[in-house]
Amino acid sequence: MQVIISHVNLDFDGLASMVAAKKLYPQAKLILPSKQGKTVERFLAIYRDSLNLYHPNEINWQEVRTVIMVDIASLQRTGDVAKYINDEEVEFIVYDHHEESDHNVQAKLAKIEKVGATVTLILEKIKMKNISITSFEATIFALGLYTDTGSFTYLSTTSRDLKMASYLIENGANLQVITKFSESPLQEEEQQLLQCLIQQSEEHYIDGIDILIASHQQNEYIGGLAFLSRKALEMTGTDALIFVVEMGKRIFIVGRSTSERIDILPLVKKLGGGGHKKAASAMVKDGNFHEVLTTVRDDIYQVVKPAITAKDIMTSPVKVVSTKTSIEDAGKMMLRYGHTGFPVLENEKLVGVISRRDVDKAKHHGLGHAPVKGYMSTNPITIDAAMSLEEVQHLMIDENVGRLPVKDNEEIIGIISRTNVIEALHGEQLNTAGKVHLDRPLEITLIDRMKNFLSIENLQLLKQIGKLADQINYSAYIIGGIVRDLIIGRTNEDIDIVVEGNGIDFANLLAENLGGTVRCHEKFATATWKHPSRLKIDITSARTEYYDYPAALPNVEMSSLKEDLFRRDFTINAMAIQINEDHFGKLIDYFHGFNDIKQNKIKVLYNLSFVEDPTRILRAVRFEQRFNFKMDQQTFDLAMISADKIASTSKPRIAHELSILLKEKHPVESLVRLGEIGIIRYLIGTHSFNVQKLKTFKSLVDEIVPLQQNQNSETWVCYLVILFSETENEIELVKDYCLNNESLKVTDQIVELLDDNQNFLKEDTLGAIHHSLKNYQTESIICYIALMQLQECFANKLKKYLQNRTQIPKLIDGNDLLNLNIEKGPLFAKILLEIECAYLNQEIHSKEDAISKVKREYL
Ligand code: CTP
């Protein structure tokens, strides 16, 4: 036989879960515990007959093989039922949503998960199995769901509960019945008890948290203390409360809280009870009321987790402006740093705060040139670094201020805005979804990935560097692309290091201890350390770059790691891994790069990112194609509106990015994407281009270039030639983007081929073609094929020529000619070319053939 049981003082979640469990185990009998909660009792008074409930003594317990426990996982709270169950003889199935405890039964199947109501767990199964439910059943289930989640307002509520509520309403749950039984009015004796408790309560103010302890002694028992505690919380508005109520010989302890910072459970457990972090209860039989109360009073301090302080959530270092800064400049800084206000200093003293709104108003009146002094709010309220988050919140609400500078002694060490408070409040929940960035970054360790994806030598080297940093108390990090690639799971041995300290000094220290040489770039406070193994490592000081005008080269000012990361292009590139010995492998991720990688997202860190460095648009496309990621909508929009800024960027910088982009695997897709963003127009002067030609070129590259011995080709520049060929502009303009003589040469060759009368196409033999094209690089010739969209027969002829020419052996060389007494001179080159042509025409096959041919024709 199977039975379904729940806890004494059965509440609606217990009852609903029992009825729901029977849908999964239709043979099982529902056992009503000896006591029910008040509202359940009222409900059963009407509906009992519809439910087929058994008293424990109506069951032949010898026959019971399976006990299904719902809303409970231990036999301790089953009241009388426990005595009938021989836990050695039966197997248990458990559905529960309470914290797991040592008293839990050993179950064959245990579904214990943190949801608002146990019935949710069972309903999910019912729904999955497509088991139909009646509207009456839906109503009972909904009662469990509504009452155990406080109509979905308790913090324990999850989206799973809401999904099940929607499912129940779809199946006819009757909201009138639910309202009637879930909102039971207080009986007179309950009202009296509640009044006594509130009157006799003592308030404890701990670290910014308000907790009430309310105690009372009376002879007669009144149920529903949990319900009363909820009512009391609503009435008093405190963060938490604990009831200690003696009724007859028993003392009931009920705790409830609304704050994430409170965990009542350990206190209640100490008194033999259980429950959740925010709602727990215990019952002490024959205990001493005053002793219990003293325990509660003594332990109340441990219930509160340490406060999140202003220092934890503030933005730091704080950007400030002086009273003389113009409204215009303050506005620009707000845009640049994404802040909505700045403290204003005069003679290093805080005298006001200027906000986005002040700036907008002043600008509206044409006062952009005026100093901020006249428009800032004066007498700013400042706070101490140790102020708790709760106090900060109260202050913001009471004083209606949105920005609080944080002081340590007289120094401003940070600032808290409403955003900081919101992030901190929701941080815990949102962090798991990875949406919020607190001042405290996401910290996880990546040691395993480093072991897997770095060479042993580089891993060891990073450890050595970390230890040297420890010696001079510097924090040291690897940063940028290598961090991204470690997370993605790609090898990348391109090591960039950032130190919170002087990068040049640190590079010198590395060279002194580990050898190698250092090249300093004083202007940028960076150094390149060339390790004896020839590995080059760039070392920078944590710094901020700001840009004087869009697309200018960066100037440098010293600042912290977070600032250094913030100035970078995308969240996925704005992470660091610490390499100091004690923190080796710790990921520092302030801006959710880790999460964006998981979601294949390219996101800028701030709105002006592309304006400040338009080459980042090309980088965004490169990473999209390389990793199969996608810009989020906002980043894409920003790229579109910043596209024109590329026109004021120097050609070599653009060319550098373009060359990397076009050397990657998907150059054509990248160019198409650049077209979508609208940046192509600012690169080549028109937005239209022939994708087919690009594709033809790419497929020829894939087919022919891998056959070449020297694969360091300049194919990338050919894509530009093809783009420019579609414009009114001269292809010669491509030369502005040529980075070196090789790319210049290829461009020149293509122009030459296009200017040629195409006589080589008329040639019949490969040898004759070789005569004309020997000096042309493979990429120049295939670019020509693509550009001319040559007829298949011509294209095939040239392809065959290119394939065959890669296989021409060196049958003879200069020495052979000298041995034949031919004088050194221009004839040499002519003869060697003739031999290659003859080989291509299959007229000769060996060295002997070649020598005979020379003898025949030249001696
Ligand atoms: N960076 C940037 N803006 C740029 C170029 C670079 O913010 N215009 C930052 C990024 O944080 C980047 C780092 O500098 O990760 C190093 O740049 P670079 O070596 O050019 O690129 P990687 O990201 O390492 O890319 P790749 O894997 O292609 O080398």
Side-chain angles (χ1 to χ4, degrees):
M1 190 199 308
Q2 298 178 324
V3 293
I4 299 173
I5 63 170
S6 188
H7 51 83
V8 276
N9 288 325
L10 189 69
D11 59 9
F12 275 119
D13 191 27
L15 179 69
S17 301
M18 285 174 67
V19 178
K22 191 164 164 62
K23 302 290 294 178
L24 297 179
Y25 307 92
Q27 307 302 330
K29 294 190 164 154
L30 299 176
I31 314 294
L32 189 64
S34 47
K35 276 210 168 67
Q36 299 93 50
K38 258 214 156 65
T39 42
V40 172
E41 205 174 64
R42 280 175 48 222
F43 179 85
L44 289 179
I46 306 169
Y47 297 104
R48 182 177 178 141
D49 291 345
S50 327
L51 291 175
N52 212 3
L53 299 162
Y54 291 81
H55 273 298
N57 56 16
E58 290 176 276
I59 300 289
N60 180 355
W61 288 93
Q62 307 289 335
E63 288 177 14
V64 173
R65 293 286 162 266
T66 308
V67 177
I68 299 145
M69 300 173 65
V70 294
D71 204 28
I72 188 170
S74 118
L75 289 173
Q76 286 188 337
R77 287 180 57 227
T78 56
D80 282 356
V81 173
K83 70 178 183 223
Y84 296 108
I85 297 175
N86 179 351
D87 49 6
E88 312 249 298
E89 296 278 302
V90 299
E91 60 182 23
F92 293 99
I93 295 174
V94 172
Y95 291 90
D96 192 17
H97 71 140
H98 297 94
E99 298 274 335
E100 297 214 34
S101 107
D102 298 341
H103 304 296
N104 284 8
V105 294
Q106 287 285 329
K108 183 179 106 185
L109 185 158
K111 196 160 177 59
I112 304 180
E113 286 167 28
K114 284 193 174 167
V115 284
T118 299
V119 72
T120 294
L121 300 174
I122 308 172
L123 284 172
E124 285 174 342
K125 269 202 171 167
I126 292 178
K127 185 165 183 249
M128 195 180 72
K129 292 189 165 190
N130 264 331
I131 301 172
S132 63
I133 56 175
T134 64
S135 66
F136 173 60
E137 286 165 343
T139 306
I140 298 182
F141 302 153
L143 260 171
L145 204 44
Y146 273 75
T147 52
D148 241 37
T149 59
S151 299
F152 310 103
T153 58
Y154 298 163
L155 299 177
S156 52
T157 309
T158 66
S159 61
R160 291 165 68 182
D161 299 301
L162 285 155
K163 277 188 196 133
M164 286 307 109
S166 137
Y167 161 70
L168 293 177
I169 289 176
E170 278 164 20
N171 279 280
N174 183 330
L175 287 172
Q176 256 176 337
V177 177
I178 295 164
T179 316
K180 182 168 167 202
F181 287 98
S182 56
E183 277 291 310
S184 77
L186 292 183
Q187 308 286 318
E188 201 177 318
E189 72 261 25
E190 288 172 329
Q191 283 180 24
Q192 272 169 10
L193 176 57
L194 185 59
Q195 221 164 16
C196 286
L197 282 165
I198 290 178
Q199 271 167 9
Q200 290 162 29
S201 63
E202 48 195 79
E203 191 172 348
H204 295 255
Y205 191 65
I206 307 164
D207 226 359
I209 292 269
D210 237 346
I211 306 187
L212 285 188
I213 299 180
S215 56
H216 179 67
Q217 290 170 284
Q218 65 182 40
N219 288 329
E220 67 282 9
Y221 171 80
I222 296 177
L225 267 187
F227 181 61
L228 290 190
S229 68
R230 270 193 335 246
K231 284 262 173 234
L233 259 194
E234 278 167 26
M235 285 163 68
T236 58
T238 51
D239 297 305
L241 60 77
I242 300 183
F243 282 172
V244 181
V245 185
E246 187 174 54
M247 299 196 253
K249 290 193 167 167
R250 288 175 298 173
I251 305 163
F252 296 89
I253 303 97
V254 176
R256 258 187 195 272
S257 103
T258 55
S259 162
E260 284 294 336
R261 278 184 53 211
I262 302 174
D263 183 0
I264 298 172
L265 197 54
L267 187 158
V268 171
K269 269 190 175 165
K270 192 170 168 184
L271 296 165
H276 307 281
K277 262 165 82 173
K278 293 182 188 139
S281 59
M283 194 263 288
V284 179
K285 251 189 194 162
D286 298 323
N288 179 311
F289 176 73
H290 293 287
E291 272 173 21
V292 172
L293 192 54
T294 310
T295 307
V296 172
R297 281 188 186 132
D298 289 349
D299 282 21
I300 193 84
Y301 291 88
Q302 288 157 29
V303 157
V304 181
K305 282 198 253 166
I308 296 176
T309 62
K311 195 167 182 184
D312 296 323
I313 62 167
M314 69 190 185
T315 301
S316 167
V318 61
K319 291 263 170 308
V320 294
V321 295
S322 100
T323 42
K324 292 185 194 129
T325 308
S326 71
I327 288 284
E328 195 74 55
D329 286 348
K332 275 190 193 155
M333 280 179 69
M334 285 171 190
L335 262 180
R336 174 177 298 149
Y337 294 112
H339 296 341
T340 49
F342 293 112
V344 185
L345 300 193
E346 192 167 61
N347 303 326
E348 305 203 352
K349 279 207 127 161
L350 178 73
V351 290
V353 171
I354 184 92
S355 72
R356 161 100 266 146
R357 252 193 309 169
D358 301 328
V359 166
D360 286 347
K361 262 195 258 164
K363 282 217 281 210
H364 181 72
H365 294 293
L367 295 163
H369 59 281
V372 295
K373 190 167 186 174
Y375 304 92
M376 65 191 188
S377 8
T378 48
N379 302 323
I381 300 172
T382 61
I383 56 171
D384 194 76
M387 185 180 264
S388 73
L389 173 60
E390 288 75 13
E391 289 167 319
V392 171
Q393 249 176 290
H394 287 150
L395 196 62
M396 280 189 168
I397 294 167
D398 295 346
E399 302 292 335
N400 190 22
V401 281
R403 219 157 282 97
L404 294 167
V406 183
K407 271 187 169 175
D408 187 16
N409 292 324
E410 274 314 292
E411 192 195 346
I412 300 178
I413 58 164
I415 189 160
I416 293 187
S417 67
R418 290 191 178 99
T419 316
N420 297 125
V421 171
I422 292 167
E423 286 178 353
L425 283 175
H426 299 286
E428 202 171 307
Q429 286 157 25
L430 294 184
N431 246 348
T432 49
K435 297 239 169 57
V436 162
H437 67 84
L438 289 178
D439 223 49
R440 280 171 297 185
L442 173 69
E443 288 180 5
I444 52 176
T445 171
L446 292 178
I447 290 186
D448 285 344
R449 280 169 197 258
M450 293 172 84
K451 284 183 189 154
N452 286 340
F453 296 106
L454 290 177
S455 65
I456 298 174
E457 298 77 44
N458 281 355
L459 186 67
Q460 288 315 327
L461 183 63
L462 290 181
K463 286 188 175 165
Q464 284 176 316
I465 297 174
K467 282 186 191 157
L468 284 167
D470 287 337
Q471 277 179 20
I472 53 167
N473 275 335
Y474 275 13
S475 297
Y477 310 86
I478 52 172
I479 201 154
I482 188 168
V483 178
R484 174 200 67 218
D485 286 348
L486 281 170
I487 295 170
I488 291 177
R490 293 170 96 234
T491 25
N492 180 339
E493 304 286 342
D494 214 353
I495 302 174
D496 285 325
I497 287 182
V498 164
V499 288
E500 281 177 324
N502 186 318
I504 294 178
D505 289 353
F506 188 59
N508 286 327
L509 179 78
L510 294 178
E512 275 161 34
N513 285 272
L514 304 172
T517 51
V518 173
R519 235 186 49 222
C520 304
H521 321 279
E522 300 283 349
K523 188 174 168 216
F524 298 105
T526 65
T528 304
W529 171 48
K530 199 156 153 206
H531 183 253
S533 70
R534 307 188 65 77
L535 177 77
K536 270 193 200 164
I537 296 187
D538 283 330
I539 297 164
T540 55
S541 317
R543 68 209 167 116
T544 267
E545 291 180 20
Y546 62 87
Y547 297 76
D548 288 339
Y549 57 91
L553 270 172
N555 289 319
V556 175
E557 87 192 31
M558 292 287 232
S559 182
S560 74
L561 176 70
K562 186 179 174 193
E563 293 266 0
D564 182 287
L565 293 169
F566 184 65
R567 79 184 161 81
R568 286 168 186 265
D569 49 2
F570 309 113
T571 56
I572 60 167
N573 287 336
M575 289 178 279
I577 298 177
Q578 196 161 2
I579 54 171
N580 296 83
E581 191 170 15
D582 285 348
H583 301 283
F584 193 83
K586 184 169 95 177
L587 174 74
I588 313 285
D589 176 15
Y590 288 98
F591 310 110
H592 299 297
F594 188 86
N595 230 56
D596 288 339
I597 287 179
K598 297 286 161 229
Q599 294 179 14
N600 300 354
K601 238 189 242 165
I602 312 273
K603 256 165 85 174
V604 281
L605 289 146
Y606 54 101
N607 290 354
L608 287 190
S609 186
F610 290 135
V611 174
E612 289 179 345
D613 182 352
T615 62
R616 287 177 172 171
I617 299 174
L618 308 181
R619 289 172 63 81
V621 170
R622 159 148 64 101
F623 294 127
E624 274 193 339
Q625 299 300 331
R626 187 193 291 174
F627 303 127
N628 199 11
F629 282 15
K630 199 131 203 212
M631 284 181 246
D632 71 341
Q633 192 58 46
Q634 194 188 2
T635 301
F636 181 79
D637 292 346
L638 290 169
M640 280 192 36
I641 55 174
S642 318
D644 60 337
K645 303 290 180 303
I646 198 88
S648 51
T649 310
S650 80
K651 292 276 194 303
R653 285 192 66 203
I654 300 175
H656 174 72
E657 274 309 330
L658 274 177
S659 70
I660 307 177
L661 177 69
L662 297 173
K663 281 177 188 166
E664 302 248 333
K665 268 205 178 124
H666 306 289
V668 181
E669 290 78 356
S670 295
L671 290 171
V672 170
R673 185 72 166 148
L674 290 177
E676 282 167 18
I677 294 170
I679 198 168
I680 287 280
R681 167 155 39 136
Y682 301 102
L683 293 173
I684 61 166
T686 170
H687 59 264
S688 68
F689 54 91
N690 188 322
V691 180
Q692 192 45 50
K693 287 184 184 175
L694 293 168
K695 283 188 176 162
T696 308
F697 176 68
K698 173 73 166 72
S699 66
L700 288 168
V701 169
D702 290 344
E703 200 178 339
I704 295 166
V705 173
L707 304 173
Q708 290 193 153
Q709 273 144 17
N710 172 16
Q711 287 179 27
N712 272 343
S713 65
E714 293 294 324
T715 49
W716 75 273
V717 84
C718 301
Y719 290 105
L720 292 188
V721 173
I722 297 173
L723 287 184
F724 271 95
S725 72
E726 294 297 312
T727 70
E728 308 267 284
N729 296 321
E730 290 294 317
I731 294 183
E732 288 280 317
L733 284 178
V734 174
K735 288 187 182 169
D736 289 348
Y737 290 106
C738 285
L739 293 168
N740 51 29
N741 287 338
E742 282 73 45
S743 43
L744 271 176
K745 184 169 151 190
V746 167
T747 312
D748 277 338
Q749 287 187 347
I750 302 169
V751 174
E752 271 174 39
L753 287 170
L754 292 171
D755 286 349
D756 195 276
N757 289 334
Q758 303 180 11
N759 285 333
F760 54 87
L761 289 180
K762 295 174 200 133
E763 302 289 0
D764 287 331
T765 65
L766 297 187
I769 296 177
H770 193 50
H771 236 280
S772 308
L773 299 185
K774 170 176 166 65
N775 291 324
Y776 287 92
Q777 303 207 177
T778 303
E779 56 268 42
S780 312
I781 300 171
I782 55 184
C783 184
Y784 168 78
I785 302 176
L787 274 173
M788 299 301 292
Q789 296 279 284
L790 288 183
Q791 280 175 21
E792 212 172 316
C793 60
F794 293 127
N796 285 342
K797 200 192 305 184
L798 287 181
K799 258 162 63 180
K800 187 161 178 221
Y801 160 64
L802 289 172
Q803 280 155 352
N804 285 15
R805 91 171 181 181
T806 59
Q807 286 151 26
I808 301 177
K810 223 178 181 48
L811 293 177
I812 55 170
D813 60 15
N815 286 330
D816 297 311
L817 297 183
L818 286 176
N819 288 339
L820 290 171
N821 289 327
I822 299 177
E823 256 180 55
K824 212 173 178 177
L827 188 59
F828 264 40
K830 183 170 180 288
I831 297 175
L832 294 177
L833 175 60
E834 290 297 336
I835 293 298
E836 287 184 356
C837 295
Y839 181 85
L840 282 173
N841 289 343
Q842 299 185 338
E843 292 156 14
I844 59 171
H845 304 282
S846 63
K847 182 166 180 157
E848 289 70 41
D849 292 350
I851 290 184
S852 316
K853 182 176 165 71
V854 177
K855 281 183 183 162
R856 215 170 36 243
E857 294 178 14
Y858 294 94
L859 293 182

